[in-house]
Amino acid sequence: MKTVFTSFTTDNIHEGHLNIIREAQKYGKVIIGALSDRTLVRINRYTTMPQEERINLYRQLRGVDDVVLQEDLMSNDVIKRYRPDYVIHGDNWKIGVESVIRDNVIQLLSEYGGQLIEVPYTVNDAVKKADQRMIERLAMPEYRRKRLKRLLELRPVVKAIEAHSGLTGLIVEKTLIERNGEFDQFDAMWVSSLCDSTDKGKPDIELVDISSRLRTIDDIMEVTTKPIILDGDTGGLTEHFVYNVRTLERMGVSAVIIEDKTGLKKNSLFGTEVQQTQDSIENFSAKIAAGKKAQLTEDFMIIARIESLILEQGMEDALLRAFSFRDAGADGIMIHSRKKDPTEIFEFCDKFRKKDSNTPIVVVPTSFNSVTEEEFEKHGVNIVIYANQLMRAAFPAMKSVAEEILRCHRAQEVDAQLMPFKDIITLIDEL
Ligand code: SPV
Ligand code: MG
């Protein structure tokens, strides 16, 4: 009996998948490769069901003879192991990033005389609705909120980048690259106090209040599904923080990072050039403990950010605070530095990891930007946040276009710098 292989990623079976199975049955025994969660998060945003449940779902489908776990997006593992006579796939993978997977499958099949069968991709209203429903489900608070913890298990380093609006959220949501057969995308969004304030033309001194920050988060949530890490500044008064934890949790935010400063907060990148006061270990620990007590789900994370290196209080102080805040209940530690040289960040991570192999470490490499995610991973870092790069990329572009229009008394000269609106709106989903 001949074998026919196809890969599935879905947790919502629709007409298109059933059609593939029906076609496959005509050629022989049908084997489905279920992409593992670890592999799937590199390319796809739709996983509302863990791999074990997806495997069971596929097993129950009429016409499916076997389901195997697939760890390699390029299908090298499954095709080399099972050497199917046929691979069947919808013809939609001829275009876009998936075409490299197609090329690789064709190459693998040619090595032993296997054949590729492509069936027309099913597009109808029911299929579109089913796909849309899957995205909408993932945007619901109960799915979005827990996703950060899950990603911490699945990814060697969770990478987050700043979003401060619906549009920047869409860039984080949809930017996907392929390099040498490896796919990559951002895992999460950072709602930075600096960028959120700057976008409103305000200084980063906790002037943009929580209602306004929630408004920004809501704009982002309306159009995305990826988990959100909020820059919660100092967390404010403990009496207020506990209410805000509840609100954030209800909205579906995954984590809030609060920094151990008090009084008028200024941005850390100013360091000791401006007056800033670090909170006492006792006060800040009490704030964390109160926040942890207030939260209602297991999913939500409160991460303590330590400003000792920024405020030049030394490594011992940073470490003492890290262990104290962890003991107070913090779900992670963010260590910050404004030095270009990463030595002090690495030293902190190594010393912290010696005594604590579990608590996630978060870094924001704005100044120490030469360090790669792989190097951070070696020092035990779990979350890397690119905190302001999208805004810093957009601002000079907008400024130079504004100046050029003033110089030329018309817009023709800047045209080459502008993206046609029809390209921009490809990001925007229509219902
Ligand atoms: C932010 O993005 O607002 C931060 C990180 O708090 S930093 O600007 O480096 O302080
Ligand atoms: Mg900030």
Side-chain angles (χ1 to χ4, degrees), residues 106-252:
I106 291 173
Q107 170 61 33
L108 290 167
L109 289 171
S110 76
E111 285 165 21
Y112 63 88
Q115 275 184 46
L116 176 65
I117 306 157
E118 290 179 314
V119 295
Y121 183 64
T122 311
V123 254
N124 60 34
D125 281 352
V127 167
K128 274 196 209 147
K129 252 207 189 99
D131 282 341
Q132 190 62 34
R133 209 175 309 131
M134 210 151 65
I135 298 175
E136 279 163 11
R137 199 179 335 149
L138 213 57
M140 294 299 279
E142 60 272 30
Y143 286 104
R144 193 196 297 254
R145 193 173 46 226
K146 65 181 173 203
R147 191 133 188 253
L148 183 64
K149 277 203 171 167
R150 183 72 183 125
L151 283 163
L152 280 164
E153 292 165 3
L154 293 174
R155 298 287 271 141
V157 167
V158 169
K159 43 184 119 186
I161 189 165
E162 170 267 315
H164 56 267
S165 61
L167 187 65
T168 46
L170 281 171
I171 289 177
V172 185
E173 178 83 7
K174 296 196 179 182
T175 305
L176 172 70
I177 61 129
E178 179 274 324
R179 204 169 135 251
N180 306 329
E182 293 271 316
F183 290 83
D184 213 354
Q185 61 172 336
F186 290 102
D187 302 297
M189 294 177 271
W190 165 244
V191 180
S192 149
S193 69
L194 176 62
C195 296
D196 200 359
S197 306
T198 306
D199 198 52
K200 292 170 171 63
K202 299 268 175 73
D204 180 20
I205 53 171
E206 294 188 281
L207 171 66
V208 176
D209 67 7
I210 186 75
S211 306
S212 178
R213 306 287 313 280
L214 295 177
R215 180 70 239 155
T216 304
I217 295 172
D218 196 46
D219 284 345
I220 295 169
M221 284 185 159
E222 279 275 339
V223 293
T224 62
T225 64
K226 289 185 176 174
I228 291 180
I229 306 171
L230 174 67
D231 173 359
D233 287 318
T234 65
L237 294 172
T238 300
E239 292 82 348
H240 296 176
F241 181 58
V242 289
Y243 282 91
N244 292 333
V245 163
R246 285 270 173 92
T247 308
L248 294 171
E249 210 184 357
R250 191 178 63 243
M251 286 176 83

Side-chain angles (χ1 to χ4, degrees), residues 124 253 263 295 358:
N124 60 34
V253 170
Q295 77 179 63
N358 288 326

Side-chain angles (χ1 to χ4, degrees), residues 162 190-197 204 213 231-233 259 261 265-270 305 307 310 334 336-338 364 366-367 385-388:
E162 170 267 315
W190 165 244
V191 180
S192 149
S193 69
L194 176 62
C195 296
D196 200 359
S197 306
D204 180 20
R213 306 287 313 280
D231 173 359
D233 287 318
E259 57 194 280
K261 288 201 299 227
K265 188 223 76 158
K266 305 256 176 70
N267 185 273
S268 300
L269 300 173
F270 290 118
R305 163 172 168 175
E307 292 285 294
I310 294 281
M334 174 184 150
H336 209 14
S337 159
R338 63 181 194 128
V364 176
T366 304
S367 304
I385 298 177
Y386 298 97
N388 49 43

Side-chain angles (χ1 to χ4, degrees), residues 248-395:
L248 294 171
E249 210 184 357
R250 191 178 63 243
M251 286 176 83
V253 170
S254 303
V256 63
I257 301 188
I258 55 172
E259 57 194 280
D260 60 351
K261 288 201 299 227
T262 188
L264 181 62
K265 188 223 76 158
K266 305 256 176 70
N267 185 273
S268 300
L269 300 173
F270 290 118
T272 50
E273 291 156 27
V274 293
Q275 177 65 38
Q276 308 208 57
T277 317
Q278 204 168 13
D279 202 354
S280 69
I281 293 182
E282 293 70 31
N283 279 343
F284 199 69
S285 296
K287 195 184 284 187
I288 291 163
K292 287 308 292 176
K293 200 163 153 230
Q295 77 179 63
L296 294 175
T297 68
E298 285 288 303
D299 313 330
F300 190 71
M301 299 174 77
I302 298 179
I303 297 173
R305 163 172 168 175
I306 292 161
E307 292 285 294
S308 303
L309 303 180
I310 294 281
L311 300 174
E312 294 174 9
Q313 295 303 302
M315 189 59 65
E316 288 316 307
D317 185 66
L319 287 163
L320 175 65
R321 283 169 177 268
F323 293 118
S324 306
F325 300 155
R326 178 206 58 192
D327 293 343
D331 301 291
I333 296 295
M334 174 184 150
I335 183 68
H336 209 14
S337 159
R338 63 181 194 128
K339 297 215 168 107
K340 234 183 154 39
D341 178 348
T343 307
E344 64 177 13
I345 284 284
F346 288 163
E347 186 186 339
F348 174 91
C349 296
D350 296 344
K351 287 187 166 156
F352 185 76
R353 273 285 165 264
K354 247 195 192 144
K355 291 199 187 150
D356 182 326
S357 53
N358 288 326
T359 308
I361 301 178
V362 185
V363 294
V364 176
T366 304
S367 304
F368 41 101
N369 59 7
S370 61
V371 185
T372 62
E373 292 149 12
E374 290 73 16
E375 282 174 88
F376 281 127
E377 188 194 337
K378 285 194 197 122
H379 291 275
V381 169
N382 306 84
I383 303 182
V384 172
I385 298 177
Y386 298 97
N388 49 43
Q389 284 77 4
L390 294 186
M391 171 160 277
R392 285 163 61 204
F395 183 77

Side-chain angles (χ1 to χ4, degrees), residues 1-55:
M1 180 108 174
K2 303 243 181 200
T3 51
V4 195
F5 179 86
T6 192
S7 300
F8 274 12
T9 60
T10 189
D11 51 18
N12 192 359
I13 301 293
H14 57 54
E15 185 48 37
H17 305 109
L18 299 178
N19 185 44
I20 296 261
I21 295 170
R22 266 195 309 271
E23 284 301 313
Q25 280 181 289
K26 294 178 189 166
Y27 294 86
K29 189 176 150 216
V30 180
I31 307 174
I32 308 255
L35 260 297
S36 71
D37 288 348
R38 197 175 298 282
T39 309
L40 228 153
V41 292
R42 304 295 294 271
I43 187 169
N44 200 319
R45 58 201 164 115
Y46 322 133
T47 66
T48 57
M49 232 185 230
Q51 63 193 35
E52 297 74 26
E53 285 178 36
R54 282 187 289 117
I55 288 172

